[in-house]
Amino acid sequence: MSSDIQTKFDFIKANTSKINEVDFENLTFGNVFTDYMLVCDFKNGAWEKPVIKPYEPFTLDPSAKVFHYGQAIFEGMKAYKDENDDVWMFRPYENFSRFNKSAVRLCMPEVPEYVFIDGLKELINLEKSWVKKGKGNSLYIRPFMIAIGSGVIAQPSTQYRFCVILSPAKSYYSGDVKVLIADYYSRAANGGIGAAKAAGNYSGQFYPTKLANEQGFQQVIWTDDATHTKLEEAGTMNVFFRINDTLYTAPTSDRILDGVTRKSLIDLAKREGIAVEVRSVLVDELVEAAKNGSLKEIFGAGTAAVVSPISGFQYKDEYIELPKIENSFSAHLKEKMTNIQYKIEEDTFGWTVKV
Amino acid sequence: MSSDIQTKFDFIKANTSKINEVDFENLTFGNVFTDYMLVCDFKNGAWEKPVIKPYEPFTLDPSAKVFHYGQAIFEGMKAYKDENDDVWMFRPYENFSRFNKSAVRLCMPEVPEYVFIDGLKELINLEKSWVKKGKGNSLYIRPFMIAIGSGVIAQPSTQYRFCVILSPAKSYYSGDVKVLIADYYSRAANGGIGAAKAAGNYSGQFYPTKLANEQGFQQVIWTDDATHTKLEEAGTMNVFFRINDTLYTAPTSDRILDGVTRKSLIDLAKREGIAVEVRSVLVDELVEAAKNGSLKEIFGAGTAAVVSPISGFQYKDEYIELPKIENSFSAHLKEKMTNIQYKIEEDTFGWTVKV
């Protein structure tokens, strides 16, 4: 570590590394973690000195507020290794900014930039050997913050823990993704926390998703909770619709997450000469477009898979399969995006940040 | 412990008790816990043998799903000691039933009755000396369940922990409670998890409540998220309105918690000859009733305070103070309810269950 960093971060060395026990060819997502984590606690109204230390369990009182009131937020990001063995993060300032927006909405303290951004750089730099070269290989980065203060009164905690853990990841083929359009369950309320990456937004999706799984669908496309007529997100991803040669995606709102992949795809599509309209797409409009043949593609957009093509959708009693398509926008955009992420093509946007 | 119980529960004895260090006259809510807790883990598709053991911290992996996806539910209940030193729970089967409804909605396993109900009885029986006699004194009971499985993929956990912790409580005078009627922020979505006692429902309220506090209001009255015209809950309580001599409270729904105090107050009011109508009250209706003098009382209903009278409300730019009232329904119902809870009057409903 540089001396500048040593003054900002404490460091506790691990005695051993787990890296030789890991089968990098057969990784399941999010189960293997690297040797180190970054931890920074907030107490007495201030952030303590962050520490990079061996990955180890947390010890928390049973009354810790994260267990009772869900004061917990996170981010999902990735780092990629180029052919020169340099490691690059993708738009980390976007995640940093969104993390602190989530913090404000959940009544948690904002994390300082040096803790989040410099902390990420230091931690990932230390764990460079966990990032493998080659498209598809990446390091999944999980910054998160939890309320660790004790006491079962329903009030914001006074103590918090910010932590970053890292997990090596491989690209995976998700198979045919069929989705169910929600006509009863919802993800987020107007004036709620849907735009925050808050822990509570995710657990609420598990049961409706399980019901969809049981009917043979891999994901749910969420609709607005008031009318169930507007298409909003796909599972835990933003969603794009291609009708004729225009891409549509819903505007962000307090119900819809301001996804980094979503906003990057919008910019990339425009650069590639693809028309993009940011507006709500109605369920009826989608069904009609599917029936008259103008609906060409649907895909989810998120950090994990960049784009996830959707092969068909069920709405109420009707299942509509999308036609197979050549020269799909989703495949083209994924190719271009990953070329930027892996430094294969020039990053004209300035999105990549070297570790 | 009885031999029957010994076969169902493991028991680890505490070396010492903290009880002599506790100032029972000056308790703040939810900060002091008794010597023992009940813990029961769910692994490999089954509940393990529950154990009553000394209160101690949990050790959890940083990737535990409760930290990332908010898979966490709880209940709030109380036990009371009567003049014969017997301890009584109030309608525990209602909390047990609601707990398992919350579990289903959050895709968590249902807790068996012997773990929840018999567990509560055994645990509270062991901690009887922590329950003090006299109206206002009580033992606050916090059953909760968290997802303890590790891994940062956004899917339900396969491992869970059910736990019960106990906290001695004193009644407190909450002072003048002025409330702000929500016209932007919301607590719950249609088709969401508002009816579950899910951790994520609470953290989402902290920020809007903080904004209300800063304007001089102690609580927020939540409205429906789609139109903000229907009055739904007050803070973390259900809410009742007395217009002329009728009590109104909103019907339960997937946005509104099926409160045990709420449903008990409805039954009790009817027995006391008070007219009760379960229907949505509109904000406009409330403002009009306040202005024409027919609005007599507003009160929250919940386990902590039974009823919490509200002295006035702000809606948009207008603050309306309620008139002081003699022979209030809220005071009468609180008196009757606590008389049942402390076994001062006969429990004609069969609500109290001896530990």
Side-chain angles (χ1 to χ4, degrees), chain A residues 280-322:
Chain A
S280 288
V281 174
L282 303 179
V283 180
D284 285 350
E285 193 181 351
L286 188 78
V287 172
E288 196 190 316
K291 289 186 176 173
N292 70 24
S294 60
L295 179 67
K296 307 293 185 193
E297 295 178 63
I298 308 176
F299 55 93
T303 292
V306 184
V307 303
S308 292
I310 288 165
S311 63
F313 66 90
Q314 173 103 2
Y315 178 62
K316 300 206 165 166
D317 292 331
E318 190 170 20
Y319 177 73
I320 301 183
E321 183 84 18
L322 269 68

Short mmCIF file of all heavy atoms in Angstrom, two decimals, chain A residues 280-322:
data_model
loop_
_atom_site.label_atom_id
_atom_site.label_comp_id
_atom_site.label_asym_id
_atom_site.label_seq_id
_atom_site.Cartn_x
_atom_site.Cartn_y
_atom_site.Cartn_z
N SER A 280 -42.73 5.45 -20.38
CA SER A 280 -43.42 4.25 -19.92
C SER A 280 -44.00 3.50 -21.09
O SER A 280 -44.62 4.10 -21.99
CB SER A 280 -44.56 4.63 -18.97
OG SER A 280 -44.04 5.08 -17.75
N VAL A 281 -43.80 2.20 -21.10
CA VAL A 281 -44.47 1.33 -22.07
C VAL A 281 -45.63 0.64 -21.34
O VAL A 281 -45.45 0.13 -20.23
CB VAL A 281 -43.51 0.30 -22.67
CG1 VAL A 281 -44.24 -0.68 -23.58
CG2 VAL A 281 -42.39 1.00 -23.43
N LEU A 282 -46.80 0.69 -21.93
CA LEU A 282 -47.97 0.08 -21.30
C LEU A 282 -48.05 -1.41 -21.65
O LEU A 282 -47.61 -1.83 -22.72
CB LEU A 282 -49.24 0.77 -21.77
CG LEU A 282 -49.30 2.28 -21.53
CD1 LEU A 282 -50.61 2.85 -22.09
CD2 LEU A 282 -49.18 2.59 -20.04
N VAL A 283 -48.63 -2.17 -20.76
CA VAL A 283 -48.82 -3.60 -21.01
C VAL A 283 -49.61 -3.82 -22.29
O VAL A 283 -49.24 -4.64 -23.14
CB VAL A 283 -49.53 -4.28 -19.82
CG1 VAL A 283 -49.70 -5.77 -20.09
CG2 VAL A 283 -48.75 -4.08 -18.52
N ASP A 284 -50.69 -3.06 -22.45
CA ASP A 284 -51.54 -3.22 -23.64
C ASP A 284 -50.77 -2.97 -24.93
O ASP A 284 -50.98 -3.64 -25.94
CB ASP A 284 -52.72 -2.25 -23.58
CG ASP A 284 -53.77 -2.70 -22.58
OD1 ASP A 284 -53.65 -3.85 -22.09
OD2 ASP A 284 -54.69 -1.92 -22.28
N GLU A 285 -49.91 -1.96 -24.86
CA GLU A 285 -49.09 -1.58 -26.00
C GLU A 285 -48.13 -2.73 -26.35
O GLU A 285 -47.90 -3.04 -27.53
CB GLU A 285 -48.29 -0.35 -25.55
CG GLU A 285 -47.60 0.42 -26.61
CD GLU A 285 -46.84 1.60 -25.99
OE1 GLU A 285 -47.00 1.90 -24.79
OE2 GLU A 285 -46.05 2.21 -26.75
N LEU A 286 -47.59 -3.36 -25.32
CA LEU A 286 -46.65 -4.46 -25.52
C LEU A 286 -47.37 -5.65 -26.17
O LEU A 286 -46.86 -6.25 -27.14
CB LEU A 286 -46.05 -4.89 -24.19
CG LEU A 286 -44.90 -5.91 -24.29
CD1 LEU A 286 -43.62 -5.19 -24.71
CD2 LEU A 286 -44.69 -6.64 -22.97
N VAL A 287 -48.54 -5.96 -25.65
CA VAL A 287 -49.31 -7.09 -26.18
C VAL A 287 -49.67 -6.82 -27.65
O VAL A 287 -49.49 -7.68 -28.52
CB VAL A 287 -50.59 -7.34 -25.34
CG1 VAL A 287 -51.49 -8.37 -26.00
CG2 VAL A 287 -50.20 -7.78 -23.92
N GLU A 288 -50.11 -5.59 -27.91
CA GLU A 288 -50.48 -5.24 -29.29
C GLU A 288 -49.28 -5.31 -30.22
O GLU A 288 -49.37 -5.86 -31.33
CB GLU A 288 -51.08 -3.83 -29.30
CG GLU A 288 -51.85 -3.51 -30.58
CD GLU A 288 -52.22 -2.04 -30.67
OE1 GLU A 288 -52.67 -1.48 -29.65
OE2 GLU A 288 -52.03 -1.46 -31.77
N ALA A 289 -48.14 -4.76 -29.74
CA ALA A 289 -46.92 -4.79 -30.56
C ALA A 289 -46.46 -6.22 -30.83
O ALA A 289 -45.97 -6.54 -31.91
CB ALA A 289 -45.81 -3.98 -29.88
N ALA A 290 -46.63 -7.08 -29.82
CA ALA A 290 -46.26 -8.49 -30.00
C ALA A 290 -47.14 -9.12 -31.06
O ALA A 290 -46.68 -9.88 -31.92
CB ALA A 290 -46.36 -9.24 -28.68
N LYS A 291 -48.43 -8.77 -31.02
CA LYS A 291 -49.38 -9.40 -31.94
C LYS A 291 -49.24 -8.89 -33.37
O LYS A 291 -49.42 -9.65 -34.32
CB LYS A 291 -50.81 -9.20 -31.43
CG LYS A 291 -51.06 -10.05 -30.18
CD LYS A 291 -52.49 -10.01 -29.71
CE LYS A 291 -52.65 -10.97 -28.54
NZ LYS A 291 -53.97 -10.86 -27.91
N ASN A 292 -48.92 -7.60 -33.51
CA ASN A 292 -48.80 -7.09 -34.89
C ASN A 292 -47.37 -7.22 -35.43
O ASN A 292 -47.06 -6.74 -36.51
CB ASN A 292 -49.33 -5.64 -35.01
CG ASN A 292 -48.43 -4.63 -34.29
OD1 ASN A 292 -47.23 -4.85 -34.10
ND2 ASN A 292 -49.02 -3.51 -33.90
N GLY A 293 -46.50 -7.85 -34.64
CA GLY A 293 -45.16 -8.15 -35.13
C GLY A 293 -44.14 -7.04 -34.97
O GLY A 293 -42.98 -7.18 -35.36
N SER A 294 -44.54 -5.91 -34.39
CA SER A 294 -43.58 -4.81 -34.24
C SER A 294 -42.67 -4.96 -33.02
O SER A 294 -41.64 -4.31 -32.92
CB SER A 294 -44.31 -3.46 -34.22
OG SER A 294 -45.22 -3.41 -33.14
N LEU A 295 -43.07 -5.82 -32.09
CA LEU A 295 -42.22 -6.08 -30.92
C LEU A 295 -41.10 -7.03 -31.32
O LEU A 295 -41.35 -8.19 -31.64
CB LEU A 295 -43.03 -6.68 -29.76
CG LEU A 295 -42.21 -7.01 -28.50
CD1 LEU A 295 -41.68 -5.74 -27.83
CD2 LEU A 295 -43.03 -7.83 -27.52
N LYS A 296 -39.88 -6.54 -31.31
CA LYS A 296 -38.75 -7.35 -31.77
C LYS A 296 -37.95 -7.96 -30.63
O LYS A 296 -37.43 -9.07 -30.76
CB LYS A 296 -37.80 -6.48 -32.61
CG LYS A 296 -38.46 -5.72 -33.76
CD LYS A 296 -38.98 -6.64 -34.84
CE LYS A 296 -39.53 -5.84 -36.03
NZ LYS A 296 -40.30 -6.67 -36.94
N GLU A 297 -37.77 -7.22 -29.55
CA GLU A 297 -36.92 -7.70 -28.45
C GLU A 297 -37.39 -7.14 -27.13
O GLU A 297 -37.92 -6.04 -27.05
CB GLU A 297 -35.46 -7.23 -28.63
CG GLU A 297 -34.72 -7.74 -29.81
CD GLU A 297 -33.31 -7.13 -29.88
OE1 GLU A 297 -32.51 -7.38 -28.97
OE2 GLU A 297 -33.03 -6.40 -30.85
N ILE A 298 -37.13 -7.92 -26.09
CA ILE A 298 -37.23 -7.42 -24.71
C ILE A 298 -35.94 -7.88 -24.03
O ILE A 298 -35.51 -9.01 -24.22
CB ILE A 298 -38.42 -8.02 -23.94
CG1 ILE A 298 -39.74 -7.87 -24.71
CG2 ILE A 298 -38.54 -7.41 -22.55
CD1 ILE A 298 -40.94 -8.55 -24.03
N PHE A 299 -35.32 -7.01 -23.26
CA PHE A 299 -34.17 -7.48 -22.47
C PHE A 299 -34.03 -6.71 -21.17
O PHE A 299 -34.37 -5.54 -21.07
CB PHE A 299 -32.86 -7.44 -23.27
CG PHE A 299 -32.51 -6.11 -23.88
CD1 PHE A 299 -31.70 -5.21 -23.19
CD2 PHE A 299 -32.96 -5.76 -25.15
CE1 PHE A 299 -31.35 -3.99 -23.76
CE2 PHE A 299 -32.61 -4.54 -25.73
CZ PHE A 299 -31.81 -3.65 -25.03
N GLY A 300 -33.55 -7.43 -20.17
CA GLY A 300 -33.20 -6.81 -18.89
C GLY A 300 -31.81 -6.24 -18.97
O GLY A 300 -30.98 -6.71 -19.74
N ALA A 301 -31.55 -5.21 -18.16
CA ALA A 301 -30.24 -4.56 -18.14
C ALA A 301 -29.78 -4.45 -16.69
O ALA A 301 -30.48 -3.89 -15.86
CB ALA A 301 -30.33 -3.17 -18.76
N GLY A 302 -28.61 -5.04 -16.42
CA GLY A 302 -28.09 -4.97 -15.06
C GLY A 302 -26.62 -5.33 -15.01
O GLY A 302 -26.06 -5.77 -16.03
N THR A 303 -26.01 -5.16 -13.85
CA THR A 303 -24.58 -5.39 -13.72
C THR A 303 -24.21 -6.86 -13.97
O THR A 303 -23.20 -7.15 -14.62
CB THR A 303 -24.11 -4.95 -12.32
OG1 THR A 303 -24.22 -3.54 -12.25
CG2 THR A 303 -22.68 -5.35 -12.04
N ALA A 304 -25.02 -7.77 -13.47
CA ALA A 304 -24.64 -9.19 -13.50
C ALA A 304 -24.41 -9.69 -14.92
O ALA A 304 -23.37 -10.26 -15.23
CB ALA A 304 -25.67 -10.04 -12.78
N ALA A 305 -25.40 -9.47 -15.81
CA ALA A 305 -25.30 -10.03 -17.16
C ALA A 305 -25.22 -8.98 -18.25
O ALA A 305 -25.25 -9.33 -19.43
CB ALA A 305 -26.50 -10.94 -17.41
N VAL A 306 -25.11 -7.71 -17.89
CA VAL A 306 -25.17 -6.56 -18.80
C VAL A 306 -26.56 -6.54 -19.46
O VAL A 306 -27.38 -5.69 -19.12
CB VAL A 306 -24.05 -6.53 -19.86
CG1 VAL A 306 -24.13 -5.25 -20.69
CG2 VAL A 306 -22.68 -6.61 -19.18
N VAL A 307 -26.81 -7.45 -20.44
CA VAL A 307 -28.18 -7.58 -20.95
C VAL A 307 -28.61 -9.03 -20.86
O VAL A 307 -27.81 -9.94 -21.05
CB VAL A 307 -28.34 -7.07 -22.41
CG1 VAL A 307 -27.91 -5.62 -22.54
CG2 VAL A 307 -27.60 -7.94 -23.39
N SER A 308 -29.89 -9.22 -20.55
CA SER A 308 -30.48 -10.57 -20.47
C SER A 308 -31.68 -10.63 -21.40
O SER A 308 -32.75 -10.13 -21.06
CB SER A 308 -30.99 -10.85 -19.05
OG SER A 308 -29.94 -10.95 -18.16
N PRO A 309 -31.50 -11.23 -22.58
CA PRO A 309 -32.63 -11.29 -23.52
C PRO A 309 -33.78 -12.12 -22.95
O PRO A 309 -33.55 -13.12 -22.26
CB PRO A 309 -32.01 -12.00 -24.73
CG PRO A 309 -30.54 -11.89 -24.57
CD PRO A 309 -30.28 -11.85 -23.09
N ILE A 310 -34.97 -11.66 -23.22
CA ILE A 310 -36.18 -12.33 -22.75
C ILE A 310 -36.87 -12.95 -23.96
O ILE A 310 -37.03 -12.30 -24.99
CB ILE A 310 -37.08 -11.30 -22.02
CG1 ILE A 310 -36.43 -10.95 -20.66
CG2 ILE A 310 -38.50 -11.84 -21.82
CD1 ILE A 310 -36.98 -9.72 -20.00
N SER A 311 -37.24 -14.22 -23.82
CA SER A 311 -37.72 -14.95 -25.00
C SER A 311 -39.24 -14.90 -25.17
O SER A 311 -39.76 -15.17 -26.25
CB SER A 311 -37.25 -16.40 -24.95
OG SER A 311 -37.81 -17.05 -23.84
N GLY A 312 -39.93 -14.57 -24.09
CA GLY A 312 -41.38 -14.50 -24.19
C GLY A 312 -41.99 -14.03 -22.89
O GLY A 312 -41.30 -14.01 -21.86
N PHE A 313 -43.25 -13.63 -22.95
CA PHE A 313 -43.89 -13.14 -21.72
C PHE A 313 -45.32 -13.64 -21.60
O PHE A 313 -46.01 -13.85 -22.60
CB PHE A 313 -43.86 -11.61 -21.65
CG PHE A 313 -44.68 -10.90 -22.70
CD1 PHE A 313 -46.02 -10.58 -22.49
CD2 PHE A 313 -44.10 -10.54 -23.93
CE1 PHE A 313 -46.77 -9.93 -23.44
CE2 PHE A 313 -44.85 -9.89 -24.90
CZ PHE A 313 -46.19 -9.59 -24.67
N GLN A 314 -45.70 -13.80 -20.35
CA GLN A 314 -47.09 -14.18 -20.05
C GLN A 314 -47.78 -12.97 -19.44
O GLN A 314 -47.24 -12.32 -18.54
CB GLN A 314 -47.10 -15.33 -19.03
CG GLN A 314 -48.48 -15.71 -18.49
CD GLN A 314 -49.04 -16.96 -19.13
OE1 GLN A 314 -48.39 -17.60 -19.96
NE2 GLN A 314 -50.25 -17.32 -18.75
N TYR A 315 -48.96 -12.64 -19.94
CA TYR A 315 -49.78 -11.61 -19.29
C TYR A 315 -51.17 -12.19 -19.12
O TYR A 315 -51.81 -12.59 -20.09
CB TYR A 315 -49.82 -10.33 -20.10
CG TYR A 315 -50.71 -9.28 -19.47
CD1 TYR A 315 -50.41 -8.78 -18.20
CD2 TYR A 315 -51.86 -8.83 -20.10
CE1 TYR A 315 -51.23 -7.85 -17.59
CE2 TYR A 315 -52.68 -7.88 -19.50
CZ TYR A 315 -52.36 -7.40 -18.25
OH TYR A 315 -53.18 -6.49 -17.64
N LYS A 316 -51.59 -12.25 -17.86
CA LYS A 316 -52.85 -12.92 -17.52
C LYS A 316 -52.85 -14.33 -18.12
O LYS A 316 -51.94 -15.10 -17.81
CB LYS A 316 -54.05 -12.06 -17.91
CG LYS A 316 -53.95 -10.72 -17.15
CD LYS A 316 -55.24 -10.01 -16.89
CE LYS A 316 -54.98 -8.92 -15.82
NZ LYS A 316 -56.03 -7.95 -15.69
N ASP A 317 -53.78 -14.67 -18.99
CA ASP A 317 -53.84 -16.06 -19.44
C ASP A 317 -53.11 -16.32 -20.75
O ASP A 317 -53.21 -17.41 -21.32
CB ASP A 317 -55.31 -16.50 -19.60
CG ASP A 317 -55.98 -16.56 -18.25
OD1 ASP A 317 -55.27 -16.83 -17.27
OD2 ASP A 317 -57.21 -16.33 -18.18
N GLU A 318 -52.41 -15.32 -21.27
CA GLU A 318 -51.84 -15.46 -22.59
C GLU A 318 -50.32 -15.44 -22.56
O GLU A 318 -49.71 -14.54 -21.98
CB GLU A 318 -52.35 -14.31 -23.47
CG GLU A 318 -52.01 -14.47 -24.93
CD GLU A 318 -52.74 -13.43 -25.79
OE1 GLU A 318 -53.19 -12.39 -25.23
OE2 GLU A 318 -52.86 -13.66 -27.00
N TYR A 319 -49.69 -16.44 -23.21
CA TYR A 319 -48.24 -16.43 -23.33
C TYR A 319 -47.87 -16.06 -24.76
O TYR A 319 -48.39 -16.63 -25.72
CB TYR A 319 -47.64 -17.81 -23.00
CG TYR A 319 -46.14 -17.81 -23.19
CD1 TYR A 319 -45.31 -17.15 -22.29
CD2 TYR A 319 -45.56 -18.43 -24.29
CE1 TYR A 319 -43.93 -17.10 -22.47
CE2 TYR A 319 -44.17 -18.40 -24.48
CZ TYR A 319 -43.37 -17.73 -23.57
OH TYR A 319 -42.02 -17.68 -23.76
N ILE A 320 -46.98 -15.11 -24.88
CA ILE A 320 -46.54 -14.67 -26.22
C ILE A 320 -45.04 -14.88 -26.35
O ILE A 320 -44.25 -14.33 -25.56
CB ILE A 320 -46.92 -13.19 -26.49
CG1 ILE A 320 -48.44 -13.01 -26.37
CG2 ILE A 320 -46.42 -12.75 -27.87
CD1 ILE A 320 -48.95 -11.62 -26.67
N GLU A 321 -44.67 -15.71 -27.33
CA GLU A 321 -43.26 -15.99 -27.59
C GLU A 321 -42.74 -14.93 -28.56
O GLU A 321 -43.41 -14.60 -29.55
CB GLU A 321 -43.16 -17.39 -28.23
CG GLU A 321 -41.78 -17.89 -28.51
CD GLU A 321 -41.09 -18.54 -27.32
OE1 GLU A 321 -41.80 -18.92 -26.34
OE2 GLU A 321 -39.86 -18.65 -27.35
N LEU A 322 -41.55 -14.42 -28.30
CA LEU A 322 -40.98 -13.45 -29.24
C LEU A 322 -40.30 -14.18 -30.39
O LEU A 322 -39.78 -15.28 -30.21
CB LEU A 322 -39.96 -12.55 -28.53
CG LEU A 322 -40.55 -11.26 -27.95
CD1 LEU A 322 -41.49 -11.53 -26.80
CD2 LEU A 322 -39.44 -10.31 -27.54
#
